[in-house]
Amino acid sequence: MSLVVGIDLGTTNSLIGAMDAGFPVLIADDQGERLTPSVVHFPGTGEPIVGRSASRMRSVEPAATVYSVKRFMGRRAGEQEGAVDYATAGEPGAPLRIRVPGRDLEPEEVSALILRKLKSDAERALGIAVERAVITVPAYFNDAQRQATKRAGELAGLTVERIINEPTAAALAYGLDKLGDRAKIAVFDLGGGTFDISILELNAGVFQVLATNGNTQLGGDDIDAALVAACTLPVPVWQKRDLAVQAKHRLSVEDSVEIPLPFAAGAESLVYSLTRAELEAVAVPIIQRARAHCLRALADAHLAPAELDQVILVGGQTRMPLVRKFVAELFGREPNTSQNPDEAVAIGATIQGGVLSGAVQNVVLLDVTPLSLGIETFGGLMNVIIPRNSTIPIKAGEMFTNAVSGQESMLINVLQGERELARDNWKLGEFQLPFERAPKGQARVGVQFEIDANGILHVLARDTKTGREQVVDVSSAIDVSDEAVEKMLGDSLEHAFEDVNDRIFVEAKLKADELLPMVRRALAQIGNELGFEERASIEARLSDVESAVEAGSAQPLKRANAALDEATQGLAALLIERALKASERPASA
Ligand code: AMP
């Protein structure tokens, strides 16, 4: 089998590695550096420049230097795009584009330039062609973001054999030399832009993800932004950011820093000073935001913190002592810092590359899907087909029917998210499946969801009567900003109660819609055979249901439905008796 390299395509830095004599090894560029800044500079003439030299152009030609492009992968224009020093463009709703002087590019094209450099560095170091790769993404990347990453690889001339989640990759790096062990571990991954927490079980070489959670808008950048906002020095923002980052890094080992600015404007020489205590005061509320995600992952894995054997730290921001203290308190143990926080993800990708090429044996990776997938059903409810934290690859399906008689097609609205009502989740795509006209409830449409090993969704819908089917690609960019991701996760916790209430109401209303005309019909038919009191009681329960529907509150409607059910027992029995008699008549005639 030919070589499969592993690539960590990071927001800030990217790395590439290959298996060498059974060991994962990261590859250095021609300057001897393993970390390549994920920055591309577009000079007025000539080829784009990638990496360290490009990074130096950020302050010189900010409008022509693209960084943090990972944030724009798989995104549409017109959302709140966050502050970057270069321009972004695109009609609202269309895929977002990156605009540098004289050029308009897709985020994938920019990422492809970074990947191309990594590929050529590896080819130079290894002396062979590199054609196949494993690329990592944050566990919380949605379908569109994964598809965009895959396409970036293809544009760079790579066959992307697998997309894997960053914290899972880090677990592979941690566990490679412990294949005989059985352990439950958490990987706490706090980088520049994103936070991921994954809980895994390692058992005889099987790496099974039990739960994953996170936030694609939480990381070291937020601490930098808070420091920039608090900085009162009369210097430009880019310089404040440089100072903030420098100070933050040094304060991981020092108690206070004073950074002089000898060439600052004005006669007075300026000094940026910051203490660790000041930094921590700014950082505490940001780091605390990781807490709910960790608790949710533990709950999903059905584990108490004490049941974990290790909590592994990865991501540059976990070098901060405050982060380590936070993890120690939350999980009740000292975190494991055996992994190089910048390199563990790339090492894990390299191991997975080795698994796919056959260079690594006895390792099996079972990952999960981070968000639930489903379709919209009657009453605007989310019908989950694949729940979050399901092990991938996975295939699951369900039968659906028509809500109205004579319907000729069904609208399949594919959704991702954790909310009970369809409208609160993200729409990944929609399509019409035509079927043969049928009375209400008679059509049979099978909808199958398949999530491949890359976490990418494929949807198939089939009219079981005609066999007509439609395979749908839901790969297009979706309207999901990082803020929306965070909001979705926060909201699903926050609105859990209301959501359940909404679902109960919608379901109770569907029942009432069915019950009311049915009871009315029966009363008109045979109501006169009931006693006056029984009839009056049914009438009263009917109007209770009507007013509960009107009032729009879930529990009273549920109770009113149940009371109507109860009150119509006699009526129902009478109806059945009638029906039986009617069916006997022809036989006795
Ligand atoms: P990553 O995305 O994993 O490369 O993490 C990058 C983040 O880690 C950035 O926000 C960096 O500022 C931060 N970082 C890197 N080194 C340190 C350090 N020594 N102390 C604190 N933060 C750091």
Side-chain angles (χ1 to χ4, degrees):
M1 284 272 252
S2 69
L3 173 76
V4 181
V5 294
I7 296 175
D8 170 4
L9 182 60
T11 308
T12 327
N13 291 298
S14 297
L15 299 97
I16 186 166
M19 292 303 293
D20 183 10
F23 290 98
V25 176
L26 298 181
I27 298 168
D29 63 11
D30 52 6
Q31 327 255 305
E33 300 281 352
R34 293 193 295 244
L35 281 179
T36 295
S38 306
V39 184
V40 182
H41 173 66
F42 295 88
T45 52
E47 291 298 302
I49 299 164
V50 181
R52 219 162 312 283
S53 330
S55 197
R56 284 193 281 271
M57 297 307 288
R58 261 186 75 172
S59 50
V60 188
E61 282 188 61
T65 311
V66 181
Y67 60 93
S68 293
V69 71
K70 187 171 177 175
R71 288 165 47 185
F72 299 123
M73 298 284 277
R75 299 253 312 256
R76 283 185 183 169
E79 309 159 9
Q80 191 201 340
E81 274 139 25
V84 282
D85 300 333
Y86 50 90
T88 57
E91 290 293 312
L96 179 141
R97 299 184 69 82
I98 305 286
R99 184 163 286 169
V100 292
R103 295 184 73 160
D104 216 6
L105 303 113
E106 295 172 349
E108 290 96 306
E109 291 177 274
V110 178
S111 291
L113 291 166
I114 300 167
L115 290 169
R116 221 173 245 291
K117 163 154 168 44
L118 296 172
K119 176 178 185 286
S120 84
D121 284 344
E123 287 175 336
R124 187 190 32 74
L126 301 170
I128 52 169
V130 169
E131 278 153 3
R132 305 165 66 203
V134 168
I135 304 180
T136 58
V137 295
Y140 259 79
F141 253 25
N142 64 43
D143 201 69
Q145 292 168 303
R146 286 167 198 265
Q147 295 269 13
T149 305
K150 193 155 183 250
R151 208 170 92 75
E154 283 154 9
L155 289 173
L158 291 165
T159 303
V160 181
E161 297 288 345
R162 193 64 61 84
I163 298 283
I164 65 170
N165 292 335
E166 286 159 10
T168 315
L172 281 177
Y174 164 81
L176 186 65
D177 58 356
K178 305 172 190 64
L179 294 183
D181 294 5
R182 183 179 184 141
K184 293 195 174 71
I185 64 166
V187 177
F188 183 100
D189 181 355
L190 187 64
T194 62
F195 169 64
D196 271 327
I197 172 90
S198 287
I199 296 176
L200 296 96
E201 181 162 8
L202 276 47
N203 189 9
V206 177
F207 290 70
Q208 166 135 37
V209 181
L210 302 177
T212 191
N213 211 285
N215 189 325
T216 58
Q217 182 74 355
L218 174 59
D221 295 351
D222 297 306
I223 300 175
D224 305 345
L227 289 174
V228 168
C231 173
T232 53
L233 293 179
V235 295
V237 169
W238 68 263
Q239 201 168 11
K240 288 186 184 179
R241 194 177 310 126
D242 269 5
L243 289 168
V245 172
Q246 247 189 75
K248 181 182 78 171
H249 290 195
R250 282 177 50 190
L251 288 172
S252 287
V253 284
E254 297 167 44
D255 284 329
S256 65
V257 291
E258 295 205 335
I259 307 173
L261 280 129
F263 304 114
E268 210 182 326
S269 79
L270 298 174
V271 177
Y272 180 68
S273 22
L274 195 69
T275 66
R276 188 186 282 185
E278 286 163 347
L279 168 66
E280 293 189 345
V282 166
V284 159
I286 295 164
I287 291 163
Q288 281 293 342
R289 287 166 54 203
R291 193 185 166 81
H293 299 290
C294 295
L295 295 178
R296 181 103 187 236
L298 281 166
D300 285 344
H302 304 292
L303 289 176
E307 291 172 274
L308 291 171
D309 297 291
Q310 295 286 348
V311 181
I312 322 279
L313 296 187
V314 288
Q317 194 56 52
T318 62
R319 289 202 176 89
M320 185 186 216
L322 180 71
V323 174
R324 298 184 172 192
K325 194 165 136 244
F326 166 81
V327 173
E329 278 170 12
L330 184 58
F331 291 90
R333 73 188 59 240
E334 281 307 310
N336 178 312
T337 54
S338 65
Q339 300 304 301
N340 178 328
D342 301 322
E343 298 187 344
V345 169
I347 296 267
T350 303
I351 296 168
Q352 182 62 24
V355 171
L356 295 176
S357 73
V360 177
Q361 270 151 20
N362 310 326
V363 170
V364 178
L365 184 59
L366 298 172
D367 216 326
V368 298
T369 182
L371 296 163
S372 302
L373 287 155
I375 69 171
E376 177 171 349
T377 56
F378 304 148
L381 290 177
M382 163 79 163
N383 185 305
V384 172
I385 295 183
I386 300 181
R388 74 167 199 284
N389 283 325
S390 299
T391 300
I392 57 170
I394 185 173
K395 233 189 231 183
E398 229 176 285
M399 279 296 182
F400 294 91
T401 187
N402 51 335
V404 203
S405 284
Q407 206 176 324
E408 284 183 322
S409 70
M410 189 182 283
L411 178 70
I412 312 270
N413 186 4
V414 181
L415 304 166
Q416 186 167 33
E418 308 310 319
R419 302 291 301 274
E420 297 279 352
L421 296 188
R423 62 155 196 261
D424 294 328
N425 291 308
W426 303 317
K427 186 184 189 128
L428 294 182
E430 67 173 24
F431 60 93
Q432 290 278 355
L433 182 80
F435 50 75
E436 279 191 3
R437 235 177 229 281
K440 177 177 175 208
Q442 298 280 304
R444 288 273 172 276
V445 173
V447 176
Q448 186 189 64
F449 277 24
E450 180 178 2
I451 304 181
D452 64 19
N454 300 317
I456 292 172
L457 173 69
H458 307 274
V459 179
L460 180 145
R462 178 188 291 143
D463 174 6
T464 52
K465 192 145 176 228
T466 60
R468 190 158 29 180
E469 66 180 31
Q470 205 158 327
V471 180
V472 197
D473 205 3
V474 284
S475 64
S476 61
I478 61 170
D479 252 327
V480 174
S481 62
D482 293 334
E483 296 73 22
V485 177
E486 184 183 355
K487 193 163 174 312
M488 159 79 70
L489 298 172
D491 285 355
S492 71
L493 295 174
E494 211 171 283
H495 298 291
F497 180 72
E498 292 159 41
D499 267 14
V500 169
N501 233 26
D502 284 346
R503 175 176 283 274
I504 291 173
F505 180 74
V506 171
E507 285 171 352
K509 165 113 186 354
L510 287 172
K511 177 153 190 205
D513 288 347
E514 214 167 289
L515 225 49
L516 289 171
M518 208 164 75
V519 174
R520 287 248 152 71
R521 239 183 350 257
L523 271 186
Q525 262 177 356
I526 52 170
N528 51 5
E529 293 177 33
L530 297 175
F532 173 78
E533 263 179 35
E534 190 172 359
R535 219 190 136 123
S537 144
I538 294 176
E539 297 279 6
R541 299 294 85 80
L542 275 172
S543 72
D544 287 351
V545 170
E546 279 165 346
S547 32
V549 169
E550 195 91 348
S553 39
Q555 292 300 343
L557 180 56
K558 216 176 144 191
R559 279 196 297 272
N561 279 340
L564 180 60
D565 253 343
E566 177 76 34
T568 52
Q569 299 250 327
L571 182 64
L574 207 58
L575 267 182
I576 291 169
E577 208 177 288
R578 279 298 171 86
L580 284 177
K581 274 215 186 103
S583 67
E584 276 164 13
R585 218 167 281 140
S588 61

